[in-house]
Amino acid sequence: MKTVAILGSTGSIGTQTLDIVRKYPDRLKVKLLAASKISEKLIRQVEEFRPQFVYTAEKGYIEGVEVLSGEEGLERLSELDIDIFINGISGIAGIKPTYLLLKNRKRLATANKEAIICLGEVLKDRYSEILPIDSEHSAIFQSIQAGRKKDIKRIILTASGGPFWDRKDLSGITVEEALKHPRWKMGRKVTVDSATLMNKGLEIIEAHYLFDIPYEKIQAVIHPQSIVHGLVEFVDGSIISQLSCPDMRIPISYAISYPERWETGAKFLELFEIGKLEFFKPDEERFPLLKIAKECGEKGSFYPIVLTVADELAVDMFLKGAIHFTEIPFIVERILEKADFKKPENYEDVIFIIEETKKIFKNLYKTAGGKIA
Ligand code: MN
């Protein structure tokens, strides 16, 4: 029996993780659920899975369970004796738990790419212990096992391209349109990132830190069918890849069951039904964030952190209806232009850069009546 902690339990990754737990009551036991706040959904999860602990950012009470909260609660959470911690938190909110769990050498399966990126410069020597949940990185993690690291020629991340990859005119896109992902069921932030191709830019940086592969060996390709999730090319010319239906339960389950494989309830691939697999070069003119992200990755130092924070702030404004879809890259670029910090050497430096980037954003975009002034 494996004990499991689920951070971000009410989110997209969290609820799909609980689907797997529900399937294997004899193999998995939830010991902790964590969410930003106490909600009806969280209370229902507590009633169903009966964890010993709940963590929420703000203090609260739920009958029959010990509720940890605040900074102190987070410290305690990260020291709990639990077999595997699943981090399904969206965005930079997941940085502190990621940091504490890695510092305490806990077994961590994570989909929280923003935390991996922001902590990359200061914690990457711990990253070989991470079990990746992000589907592309899970595919790379699986494919890499076919060879030796020194024999890798290239790793390729596939992108569905989101809803607009072949659309000429990106003006006038509504929030509703951007949230309609053609293939994947995901949270709001990552779905918008997917539509701007920023998601792939962030994933290139994530792959660089997770697998310790130089940027010139990482490539992104548009693959609208979302069947091939990631590929590893070796020096002999062989490419090894992982294919499956686009269903997050597969990478989540693999991170939990590794090195075993369990049934997930996901649909099996029917090759005749798919018929064809297509690959296209991403258009970096129309989707500048992909190029900007690669440049930030290559520059290293504080750039990936500023990029991550700037994007999260810009996407949030878009979701609130304060800016147009096409203004997301514009805002990210303006914040990057103003950013200048020393190379982060520890966790405190990372937090400093994050807070300063938020200040740059505030100074640039004083919001007035929901519109940027
Ligand atoms: Mn992904």
Side-chain angles (χ1 to χ4, degrees):
M1 180 75 86
K2 257 187 201 175
T3 52
V4 187
I6 303 169
L7 283 62
S9 72
T10 54
S12 173
I13 296 290
T15 51
Q16 293 182 82
T17 304
L18 288 169
D19 282 344
I20 295 160
V21 175
R22 199 177 280 119
K23 210 169 150 52
Y24 294 103
D26 51 335
R27 297 184 195 172
L28 300 171
K29 168 78 188 123
V30 176
K31 202 164 166 186
L32 175 136
L33 293 173
S36 57
K37 59 179 190 300
I38 295 179
S39 60
E40 279 298 316
K41 196 170 182 179
L42 180 62
I43 291 168
R44 279 202 307 275
Q45 290 179 345
V46 170
E47 282 167 359
E48 182 181 353
F49 294 97
R50 297 268 152 218
Q52 190 179 345
F53 303 98
V54 160
Y55 173 86
T56 58
E58 283 170 30
K59 271 201 170 71
Y61 173 81
I62 302 177
E63 206 180 310
V65 58
E66 186 175 347
V67 181
L68 312 174
S69 62
E71 296 290 304
E72 209 185 285
L74 201 53
E75 301 263 352
R76 248 195 91 198
L77 174 160
S78 70
E79 286 162 3
L80 290 173
D81 184 21
I82 295 177
D83 295 326
I84 184 163
F85 289 78
I86 319 283
N87 180 356
I89 299 171
S90 164
I92 52 176
I95 290 178
K96 185 144 198 198
T98 303
Y99 167 72
L100 291 172
L101 290 167
L102 286 172
K103 196 180 75 149
N104 294 338
R105 302 213 101 108
K106 297 294 179 185
R107 194 172 175 83
L108 174 66
T110 183
N112 188 199
K113 66 191 71 163
E114 293 86 351
I116 293 174
I117 293 167
C118 291
L119 295 167
E121 290 293 326
V122 301
L123 267 183
K124 62 175 174 240
D125 47 327
R126 292 275 164 92
Y127 279 10
S128 59
E129 298 162 24
I130 289 178
L131 295 151
I133 290 179
D134 203 347
S135 60
E136 297 77 2
H137 304 74
S138 174
I140 302 294
F141 176 68
Q142 294 178 56
S143 306
I144 241 168
Q145 294 169 36
R148 292 182 300 182
K149 196 177 147 196
K150 68 180 183 66
D151 296 329
I152 295 171
K153 172 128 178 63
R154 183 168 55 147
I155 67 176
I156 303 165
L157 303 168
T158 57
S160 67
F164 313 128
W165 72 275
D166 58 351
R167 179 160 149 171
K168 291 280 164 279
D169 183 10
L170 298 177
S171 63
I173 285 169
T174 64
V175 172
E176 203 191 354
E177 286 175 306
L179 288 177
K180 249 190 221 125
H181 197 280
R183 303 280 170 198
W184 291 98
K185 184 178 89 180
M186 304 184 290
R188 287 157 64 88
K189 197 259 176 182
V190 58
T191 303
V192 176
D193 279 343
S194 184
T196 62
L197 292 198
M198 176 59 154
N199 186 45
K200 218 44 54 182
L202 293 175
E203 287 182 355
I204 287 175
I205 305 174
E206 182 186 11
H208 164 80
Y209 286 128
L210 272 181
F211 303 114
D212 190 26
I213 303 279
Y215 285 101
E216 66 267 21
K217 291 187 177 180
I218 308 175
Q219 192 185 14
V221 300
I222 303 279
H223 167 49
Q225 290 84 12
S226 295
I227 298 294
V228 177
H229 303 297
L231 312 94
V232 180
E233 182 176 46
F234 292 96
V235 287
D236 63 348
S238 296
I239 289 184
I240 309 291
S241 173
Q242 184 256 347
L243 286 70
S244 71
C245 286
D247 188 322
M248 282 310 291
R249 288 176 300 178
I250 298 174
I252 295 169
S253 170
Y254 188 65
I256 295 173
S257 66
Y258 174 81
E260 292 174 23
R261 287 182 184 272
W262 299 347
E263 264 184 48
T264 58
K267 210 169 155 266
F268 285 89
L269 268 188
E270 205 42 76
L271 294 175
F272 297 132
E273 270 174 35
I274 301 161
K276 63 176 178 181
L277 299 172
E278 295 172 297
F279 302 93
F280 301 96
K281 199 174 174 171
D283 184 342
E284 294 182 357
E285 295 296 314
R286 270 184 313 126
F287 297 97
L289 282 172
L290 180 59
K291 196 169 156 212
I292 294 168
K294 280 199 272 187
E295 286 166 2
C296 285
E298 271 157 20
K299 283 196 245 176
S301 180
F302 63 86
Y303 283 100
I305 304 173
V306 174
L307 172 83
T308 304
V309 177
D311 175 65
E312 188 159 320
L313 294 166
V315 169
D316 187 51
M317 284 185 92
F318 170 69
L319 286 171
K320 285 177 177 152
I323 59 165
H324 293 293
F325 183 78
T326 48
E327 285 176 292
I328 300 172
F330 175 77
I331 290 178
V332 170
E333 270 191 300
R334 292 204 54 195
I335 295 173
L336 280 165
E337 278 164 18
K338 298 256 177 217
D340 188 18
F341 305 104
K342 73 173 182 68
K343 189 178 186 303
E345 275 161 19
N346 52 40
Y347 175 72
E348 285 70 29
D349 290 348
V350 172
I351 298 303
F352 176 79
I353 294 167
I354 291 170
E355 292 310 317
E356 290 300 310
T357 302
K358 288 181 187 169
K359 282 185 204 160
I360 295 173
F361 169 79
K362 272 192 197 131
N363 289 335
L364 279 171
Y365 300 103
K366 307 233 184 284
T367 54
K371 293 277 166 203
I372 49 174

